[in-house]
Amino acid sequence: MKIICIGRNYTAHIDELKNERPEEPVVFIKPDSSVLPKQQDFYIPEFSNDVHYEVEVLVKIKKVGKHISEEFAPTYYDEIGLGIDFTARDLQSKLKEKGLPWEKAKGFDGAAVIGEWLPKTDFKDINDLNFRLLKNDKIVQEGNTGFMLWKIDEIIAYVSTFFMLKKGDIIFTGTPAGVGKISPNDYLTGSLEDKELFTLKIK
């Protein structure tokens, strides 16, 4: 499986990192080795002093598809989830300054947290989903999929023009504003429409 991530998909997050608003989706890939095993704590890597949480709504692809039209995109997924795209911000900044790829900053071991999955039929409208991340019981990120620059079906259609999507692939759809640094002993909790989908200890 592959993990396809969308960057800069919420205006407020673009503004907080002082990035340019893209004319088309920003796409990058995490390797499957970046998935944090279930029930495992997250250990801050030695090569970074500034790892940030980025909570995101996830979509799991259920069948093979290529050049998928937006109209038929909903037939390619049945499950919605929530996760974290951990980012070594200090390393990412250095790479961006040199015009280099971000993989070392976003694809390291454990950098992809994948919570529990819910049937999309649980939701009335996937383009109106509320989600949030708590750090030590305090809300640090809140978002709604209605504020995405590119909605889920648009993302699937766009990404499938470049990459064949396969059963089990996961799409990280972008993070809202509020990203921030994690520290040892932090405790993170992610919820989608008030349903808790993951908890995580930081070491």
Side-chain angles (χ1 to χ4, degrees):
M1 58 89 88
K2 56 185 174 289
I3 301 169
I4 300 171
C5 304
I6 305 299
R8 305 180 189 177
N9 202 22
Y10 289 85
T11 301
H13 176 59
I14 293 172
D15 293 342
E16 74 177 344
L17 294 186
K18 297 180 175 58
N19 288 321
E20 292 183 9
R21 178 169 173 155
E23 295 182 359
E24 56 187 34
V26 174
V27 179
F28 61 95
I29 291 180
K30 289 176 178 274
D32 58 4
S33 56
S34 69
V35 176
L36 185 71
K38 297 286 187 184
Q39 310 303 321
Q40 184 171 306
D41 299 334
F42 176 80
Y43 287 80
I44 298 172
E46 295 180 356
F47 55 76
S48 177
N49 295 311
D50 192 23
V51 174
H52 284 203
Y53 52 78
E54 297 187 7
V55 69
E56 310 197 11
V57 171
L58 313 183
V59 179
K60 185 192 291 185
I61 300 299
K62 71 171 187 176
K63 61 182 180 179
V64 173
K66 177 74 174 173
H67 294 294
I68 301 165
S69 70
E70 187 179 336
E71 176 186 2
F72 293 110
T75 68
Y76 284 82
Y77 61 97
D78 286 334
E79 295 177 284
I80 303 291
L82 197 71
I84 296 178
D85 166 20
F86 277 124
T87 304
R89 192 72 69 200
D90 46 358
L91 180 56
Q92 184 191 34
S93 295
K94 292 177 182 178
L95 293 168
K96 287 169 66 176
E97 287 174 4
K98 298 178 180 179
L100 297 174
W102 304 346
E103 274 74 8
K104 288 190 292 185
K106 284 182 169 285
F108 57 87
D109 294 350
V113 175
I114 298 172
E116 300 301 318
W117 295 97
L118 297 172
K120 72 176 180 182
T121 51
D122 282 3
F123 309 108
K124 293 181 179 179
D125 183 0
I126 62 165
N127 292 319
D128 185 22
L129 298 178
N130 295 300
F131 61 102
R132 66 185 184 181
L133 180 71
L134 282 73
K135 184 175 79 168
N136 305 326
D137 297 322
K138 179 182 178 182
I139 297 173
V140 289
Q141 281 189 281
E142 285 187 291
N144 182 287
T145 53
F147 291 104
M148 288 181 176
L149 297 179
W150 290 278
K151 304 297 190 290
I152 290 173
D153 294 342
E154 293 177 277
I155 291 170
I156 289 173
Y158 180 81
V159 167
S160 70
T161 64
F162 300 94
F163 310 107
M164 178 183 291
L165 297 180
K166 295 186 176 182
K167 183 178 180 179
D169 287 350
I170 295 172
I171 298 177
F172 277 59
T173 61
T175 194
V179 302
K181 183 178 180 178
I182 55 170
S183 301
N185 301 315
D186 281 344
Y187 187 73
L188 304 179
T189 306
S191 62
L192 177 65
E193 289 293 334
D194 294 323
K195 295 179 180 180
E196 185 177 291
L197 297 188
F198 67 79
T199 60
L200 184 63
K201 293 180 181 179
I202 307 300
K203 298 289 188 176

